[in-house]
Structure formats: C-alpha cells, structure tokens
Amino acid sequence: MPELVFFSGTMDCGKSTLALQIGHNRSARGLRGVIFTRDDRAGEGKLSSRLGLVTEAVEATEGMDVYGYVVNQLSKGGKVDYVIVDEAQFLAPAQIDQLARVVDDLGLDVFAFGITTDFRTKLFPGSQRLIELADRIETLQVEALCWCGARATHNARTVAGEMVVEGAQVVVGDVNRAVEEIGYEVLCRRHHLRRMTSASARAGALSPDVLPVTSD
C-alpha cells in the first residue's frame, strides 16, 4: 500500500542525506520520482546534503499545487513512481493535504523530510499537518549532538553566536554559518532553555567571573 511517510528530526541529523539515498536507490531500480524542496541552503530548485551531495529538485513555491504538478507530469506521459519532499516543514498545510492526495488518488509513495519545530520550539504548520495526516512518522536515528555532547533535540537560531527567540519563523540559514551571521545550532533541551550556545558557553568558560571565588 502506498504511504505518506514523515521523516523528522533536528537539523544536522541526516534528513537530506536520507532523502537523496532513497531517491538513488529507487532510480537504480529504474524507478522515476519527483523531488520537491523549499528554501534549500544550496539555492532554489536544489536538494542538498551537508555531506556535499546535491541534486536538482522542483521548488515548491508558495501557493503551488503539488498534486496538480504530479498530475500534469503524468498527463504528459511522464513516469512518476514516487515523490520525495525535502524541507517539508516550509510547505503550507494545504500543500501537505495535496501530498496526501497524491498517495490516496494516484497510489504513489510520498516521502517527506522535515524539522518538526522551529527555533522557538513551536511546530511548523507544515510539520503539524504531516503529523496529523502521515501514515507513518519516522524519527531519524542519526543523533545530532549538542555542544555539551548530549543528544540535540531543539533547533536554535543564533545572531553573532547568541541565541534569539524572536523573529520570522522562516529565515534560511545553516549550522555552518560564520558566527557573526544569522545561523542555527542544535542544542539539548537544557541548554536551549538556558539559551546557552557553544559560543556563549566558551565565553562563559573564559570569563574570570563565572563563579564567585572567595579566599579564607
């Protein structure tokens, strides 16, 4: 039976790598798929992994009918055996409904990859709709690590190395940006709640006033 599968996890846990692997495995068996993405770090119409792998994709722009796109490909005689969607958290809930329709009406597997929550720990609308509709939800087993070594469970947005909790929900960035730029960092819950990034932790460790020192 065809399924809508949501692969979720924090940044830096291998979602895009797995999406590329699924596409490669199926294409090696003669299957052809449509790959959608949205706001990838490599630019428009790209699906990229931090390992350096990149493939062409269809940019799922705001307001795009992704179901209609697949139907159009089929009506023109194109072969579509499956659908992959990376950065699925950025899709609108209506577009997630369209992906479910691809499964139910066209009988195609849809593999969606995305972050569940934003830098404020709030659900992305696209991810929320996937949780509501997906036949199966898979949490990626590759664990991203906080700077402290604990399992990273939250995504933090940083500016000049400091964690911020206000601003637009979607600002494209990466975990490998220079510290002075807007970037992202994965943290464990404890350090996310404390707003303690790797940069602020280093600054604190270097400060002579971190702990009070008294002499007898």
Side-chain angles (χ1 to χ4, degrees):
M1 291 290 291
E3 290 184 306
L4 172 58
V5 186
F6 180 32
F7 295 89
S8 69
T10 63
M11 292 181 296
D12 221 17
C13 73
K15 295 183 301 301
S16 298
T17 302
L18 180 58
L20 288 162
Q21 185 68 56
I22 286 176
H24 170 76
N25 289 352
R26 279 161 175 71
S27 64
R29 298 295 179 267
L31 302 177
R32 295 187 63 181
V34 174
I35 299 176
F36 292 105
T37 190
R38 176 78 177 271
D39 293 336
D40 188 274
R41 70 184 75 84
E44 184 174 328
K46 303 287 184 182
L47 191 169
S48 68
S49 163
R50 292 190 178 90
L51 297 181
L53 304 173
V54 183
T55 192
E56 298 296 320
V58 178
E59 188 75 11
T61 56
E62 184 176 352
M64 178 183 183
D65 184 345
V66 294
Y67 173 82
Y69 182 93
V70 176
V71 169
N72 186 52
Q73 294 298 109
L74 292 169
S75 66
K76 293 190 298 185
K79 184 181 180 184
V80 180
D81 297 303
Y82 61 91
V83 173
I84 290 174
V85 185
D86 198 29
E87 307 293 357
Q89 72 274 7
F90 295 146
L91 270 60
Q95 291 173 314
I96 303 302
D97 289 351
Q98 293 159 12
L99 292 176
R101 192 178 176 194
V102 168
V103 176
D104 296 338
D105 292 0
L106 304 180
L108 303 179
D109 283 316
V110 175
F111 306 101
F113 299 80
I115 298 167
T116 307
T117 57
D118 65 16
F119 69 104
R120 301 164 300 183
T121 71
K122 304 298 183 182
L123 284 169
F124 282 101
S127 297
Q128 178 177 335
R129 193 61 178 147
L130 276 165
I131 292 169
E132 293 166 349
L133 291 184
D135 297 295
R136 184 157 49 94
I137 299 172
E138 299 282 353
T139 301
L140 293 212
Q141 297 305 306
V142 176
E143 292 187 350
L145 298 179
C146 178
W147 60 264
C148 69
R151 178 173 176 265
T153 54
H154 291 69
N155 306 297
R157 181 181 295 170
T158 61
V159 177
E162 297 294 325
M163 180 174 157
V164 296
V165 293
E166 295 182 353
Q169 186 175 50
V170 179
V171 175
V172 178
D174 200 357
V175 295
N176 297 317
R177 292 287 180 91
V179 69
E180 66 271 10
E181 300 179 14
I182 294 177
Y184 290 90
E185 182 175 349
V186 288
L187 300 173
C188 64
R189 183 179 62 231
R190 179 175 60 149
H191 287 125
H192 192 280
L193 290 173
R194 294 180 180 180
R195 304 186 187 181
M196 186 177 292
T197 66
S198 57
S200 62
R202 283 196 298 270
L206 293 172
S207 171
D209 300 320
V210 174
L211 295 174
V213 178
T214 59
S215 56
D216 296 331

